[in-house]
Amino acid sequence: MKVDVVVIGAGAAGLMCAATAGARGRQVLVLDHAKQAGKKILISGGGRCNFTNMEVLPSNFLCDNPHFVKSALAQYSHWDFIAMVARHGIAYHERDHGQLFCDDSAKEIVQMLLSECDQHNVQIRLRSQIESVSRGEQGFSLATSQGRIQCDSLVVATGGLSMPKLGATPYGYQLAEQFGLTVKPTRAGLVPLTLQPEDKQHFEPLSGISLTTTVQALQGPAFTEQLLITHRGVSGPAVLQASNYRGVGEAVTVDLLPSDEVATLLAEAKQNTPKRQLLTVLSDWLPGRLAEALMARQGWANEQIAQLNKAQLDAIADTLNRFELKPAGDEGYRTAEVTLGGVDTDAISSKTMECKTVPGLFFAGEVMDVTGWLGGYNFQWAWSSGYVAGLNA
Ligand code: FDA
């Protein structure tokens, strides 16, 4: 069988790429080993798919070459995707931080992409195993469970490593290496952090408590969003965002009362209500059980606030506004939303997504060394890079 374009991966980027190439009149075949297309889209955003964001900037992405995302985001912006969603009559709403979600179901996004593919005669073959890929004078030749397939352009849209049970594989990285490209070291991103045993002992009983915090990794921006205490450690948007920037083994700083200067609050409490005990005072500002656990962890006695000297008050303020959390690690690909690292973008044209050294070989989506913040940015990267690959493949 011979087609113009083979896309490996019927996920977000692969389907967008296939529909775009099909619309140009290219004969497109999508291969995926899964038995269903767009599985990650279906489970995303709690089943409602946070498909993009009202504001998308290059600074919302991590990539060793920070300029790489600019061209694709300009060629196919969040407004373009929002227009497609609207054209298909999909109802959506905006949540905090500009995040856009379907009103009903993520299924609508998958149906939309499949119907765009269908309209442009894209063939999608699921349950297809790719055994080998080679490149000759006639383009690419794939040995697959569906037989031998020849194509002029090959698009690798196999995604990252997160959630292996949904069909994630390192195949895209292996293909990149086969063609001489570098793959930047990969690790779990947008991932919950686990606690050291001493901290776990104090915080595990609080599992389920969530509060607004500011979490910041050494090398990253500060994120003011919810932090959730879980059985294994800490999660919630603020933690997931900071996890992208956290170096292996590094601590993160948690401001447990981001809108307050605790030193000032404590000084006021000492002056106005000197007889109140520390736990009562802290419980005005934090969930009571968390205040109790923090006091136990730090070894603070439950004295009247008047009894505490300046050094003690400063130490309390510092802990609450700059709590240094040294995680044991993270929960890994099992629960991570994305994969940091991936195919080195230095080898890929940011304007076309074509490999600079292997004409006809394209990459789209998360398989590349591009990771977005939480908030619809990873899908936007899939749509933008998929579109650009589809325009050129
Ligand atoms: P994607 O993973 O979507 O697709 C890759 C495809 O390649 C899959 O269909 C896979 O089966 C196929 N494949 C892999 N190996 C293969 C092989 N060897 N042979 C054949 N096929 C192969 N992002 C966001 O912006 N908003 C959100 O709400 C969420 N929510 C979310 C929730 C959860 C639980 C997860 C795990 C992730 C998210 N994300 C997200 C991230 C988002 O899902 C992700 O970034 C995109 O799906 C990436 O799109 P890709 O097309 O690159 O990969």
Side-chain angles (χ1 to χ4, degrees):
M1 176 186 195
K2 166 96 178 65
V3 292
D4 297 328
V5 182
V6 167
V7 179
I8 308 181
L15 292 176
M16 175 57 94
C17 170
T20 309
R24 288 168 50 227
R26 300 284 273 167
Q27 198 193 349
V28 184
L29 172 66
V30 183
L31 300 174
D32 199 303
H33 66 162
K35 53 177 191 263
Q36 198 177 14
K39 273 186 166 183
K40 274 195 191 162
I41 303 175
L42 291 172
I43 59 147
S44 68
R48 289 217 161 83
C49 186
N50 174 199
F51 54 80
T52 192
N53 197 286
M54 289 297 283
E55 187 179 49
V56 179
L57 301 169
S59 55
N60 299 126
F61 297 86
L62 292 90
C63 175
D64 274 0
N65 171 4
H67 302 292
F68 181 75
V69 297
K70 289 181 180 169
S71 174
L73 293 176
Q75 290 185 63
Y76 191 85
S77 72
H78 53 304
W79 299 116
D80 293 311
F81 193 76
I82 292 167
M84 184 190 275
V85 167
R87 210 165 57 241
H88 283 256
I90 299 173
Y92 63 92
H93 60 277
E94 184 179 340
R95 295 193 194 163
D96 288 352
H97 304 282
Q99 302 173 9
L100 299 185
F101 285 79
C102 297
D103 283 357
D104 290 334
S105 166
K107 279 185 202 154
E108 292 174 297
I109 299 292
V110 176
Q111 272 156 14
M112 173 185 85
L113 294 166
L114 292 177
S115 106
E116 290 277 331
C117 284
D118 196 45
Q119 198 184 326
H120 301 298
N121 303 315
V122 170
Q123 287 184 65
I124 299 175
R125 291 197 189 163
L126 302 172
R127 301 172 201 263
S128 300
Q129 308 298 329
I130 292 125
E131 283 139 24
S132 68
V133 174
S134 57
R135 187 167 172 274
E137 285 180 6
Q138 303 297 314
F140 295 89
S141 175
L142 287 77
T144 78
S145 54
Q146 310 272 336
R148 188 157 285 281
I149 300 163
Q150 312 274 349
C151 59
D152 298 332
S153 298
L154 178 66
V155 184
V156 182
T158 45
L161 296 172
S162 61
M163 302 234 165
K165 68 172 194 273
L166 292 180
T169 73
Y171 188 62
Y173 307 135
Q174 289 159 7
L175 263 184
E177 281 172 344
Q178 178 192 326
F179 285 103
L181 278 73
T182 306
V183 175
K184 299 263 178 186
T186 51
R187 68 187 174 88
L190 297 180
V191 64
L193 301 176
T194 55
L195 294 179
Q196 306 273 3
E198 327 62 278
D199 279 337
K200 199 160 178 251
Q201 166 204 324
H202 290 293
F203 296 120
E204 189 180 1
L206 310 185
S207 139
I209 287 183
S210 96
L211 66 163
T212 302
T213 58
T214 297
V215 185
Q216 184 167 24
L218 275 179
Q219 306 292 333
F223 293 96
T224 302
E225 295 188 51
Q226 291 299 106
L227 174 150
L228 171 71
I229 301 175
T230 71
H231 287 296
R232 289 178 293 273
V234 285
S235 184
V239 171
L240 300 184
Q241 300 276 34
S243 76
N244 270 355
Y245 290 91
R246 179 182 160 261
V248 179
E250 280 176 12
V252 292
T253 309
V254 182
D255 184 343
L256 292 160
L257 283 165
S259 50
D260 293 299
E261 197 56 58
V262 177
T264 312
L265 290 183
L266 284 169
E268 285 168 3
K270 188 168 176 174
Q271 192 170 6
N272 300 334
T273 55
K275 292 210 157 80
R276 290 184 89 202
Q277 289 186 296
L278 181 61
L279 177 60
T280 321
V281 171
L282 296 185
S283 300
D284 282 349
W285 309 325
L286 292 170
R289 283 161 58 216
L290 175 58
E292 223 172 318
L294 276 174
M295 286 180 61
R297 179 187 189 268
Q298 303 299 110
W300 298 332
N302 192 18
E303 293 183 69
Q304 287 184 344
I305 193 118
Q307 308 299 316
L308 299 172
N309 62 32
K310 174 144 183 357
Q312 288 170 311
L313 293 176
D314 284 350
I316 294 168
D318 202 54
T319 302
L320 266 52
N321 278 142
R322 278 169 294 278
F323 185 84
E324 197 180 278
L325 180 73
K326 206 159 196 313
D330 63 49
E331 290 190 10
Y333 292 119
R334 192 178 56 82
T335 52
E337 282 201 14
V338 288
T339 301
L340 293 155
V343 179
D344 187 353
T345 57
D346 277 356
I348 300 166
S349 157
S350 63
K351 297 195 171 50
T352 62
M353 298 296 139
E354 186 171 14
C355 175
K356 291 173 187 167
T357 47
V358 187
L361 180 64
F362 293 78
F363 290 86
E366 201 185 312
V367 69
M368 287 183 275
D369 169 35
V370 175
T371 306
W373 288 11
L374 188 82
Y377 301 100
N378 285 294
F379 278 136
Q380 186 57 47
W381 175 244
W383 316 136
S384 297
S385 59
Y387 176 86
V388 169
L391 267 194
N392 294 283

